[in-house]
Amino acid sequence: MSKTQVVKVKDIEIGGGQFVAIAGPCSIESQSQLDLISECVKNSQAKILRGGIYKMRTSPDAFQGLEHEAFNIVKAIKDKHQMPFVSEVTDPRQIEELYELVDMFQVGSRNMYNYSLLKELANFDKPVLLKRGFSALYDEWIKAASYVTSQGNAQVVLCERGIRTFESATRNTLDLNSVAYIKENTDLPIIVDPSHGTGVRNLVTPMALASAAAGADGIMVEVHNNPEKAQSDGFQALTPEMFDHLMKRINTLTQALRS
Ligand code: PEP
Ligand code: MN
């Protein structure tokens, strides 16, 4: 097993031994929504805020994100809560406008094979959170990361988010083999997204705990103050109370694993 390279997102280190939680809504919907969720997840010890500005939706009729309308919201909330922020870049043309706004670029599952996007991100000095394609082999995922790391930008964190299998009771099958495999075969930090990995709210906490036990460097979890009214992925969002409970259990587990 090689030593994990540390990736810094502002002053937060991923891969340095501390288990890092990234949390926030699937999509940014309004300033009051992001404000409330940020306050809650920060109080529960999440270290990085997430929130979709541009959304890659299966249906063109589904909510596509607030896009430019979200920019001022993000600025205001980052100012107020002082949390590093990660959001998905869905097109190389968005990189420059998002550069000032995000502290880490997220590349989504559907874009893992978008090599022109990856090559462009290699030119920027900003960390990249590279989600696994939902049918990608480990080797393809690692090579996708190399498009960024071998061409300039060494700051890549992998994110396991589940793969498509014959099982239909869950949205995806969360493949935690990948955590052990990536640790064994690369020096890249890896976090797990149990929200997309299960697509079922009540399965998120157990799989977050399993991710920590498997050796992940952190998790990314969707949290919403009113999941029933969420514009995207409400069915898998934790309430702030559920997220707080998850974090307390993660804390107990990671302390036990260290001792
Ligand atoms: C997300 O994180 O909101 C997302 C769309 O994830 P994925 O790309 O893994 O589907
Ligand atoms: Mn989502």
Side-chain angles (χ1 to χ4, degrees), residues 131-181:
K131 296 192 100 178
R132 179 180 179 187
F134 52 74
S135 59
L137 300 175
Y138 300 151
D139 186 54
E140 293 170 325
W141 190 18
I142 293 164
K143 288 193 169 107
S146 297
Y147 268 95
V148 183
T149 56
S150 65
Q151 303 204 27
N153 186 350
Q155 304 272 96
V156 172
V157 177
L158 299 179
C159 179
E160 170 60 61
R161 49 78 73 204
I163 51 172
R164 205 167 262 186
T165 66
F166 52 80
E167 182 54 69
S168 59
T170 50
R171 185 179 185 182
N172 290 291
T173 294
L174 187 58
D175 173 20
L176 292 181
N177 286 359
S178 68
V179 174
Y181 184 91

Side-chain angles (χ1 to χ4, degrees), residues 24-27 50 52 55 57 88 106 110 131 171 193 195-196 222 232-236:
C26 178
S27 302
R50 66 151 283 150
K55 297 303 298 179
R57 305 302 299 283
E88 182 172 346
Q106 178 174 323
R110 291 164 183 78
K131 296 192 100 178
R171 185 179 185 182
D193 170 355
S195 304
H196 293 87
E222 289 185 344
S232 60
D233 289 354
F235 49 85
Q236 67 191 29

Side-chain angles (χ1 to χ4, degrees), residues 186-221:
T186 81
D187 61 356
L188 296 167
I190 178 166
I191 68 166
V192 175
D193 170 355
S195 304
H196 293 87
T198 64
V200 181
R201 178 177 306 122
N202 286 344
L203 303 187
V204 171
T205 296
M207 296 317 289
L209 293 166
S211 306
D217 298 296
I219 44 172
M220 178 154 83
V221 175

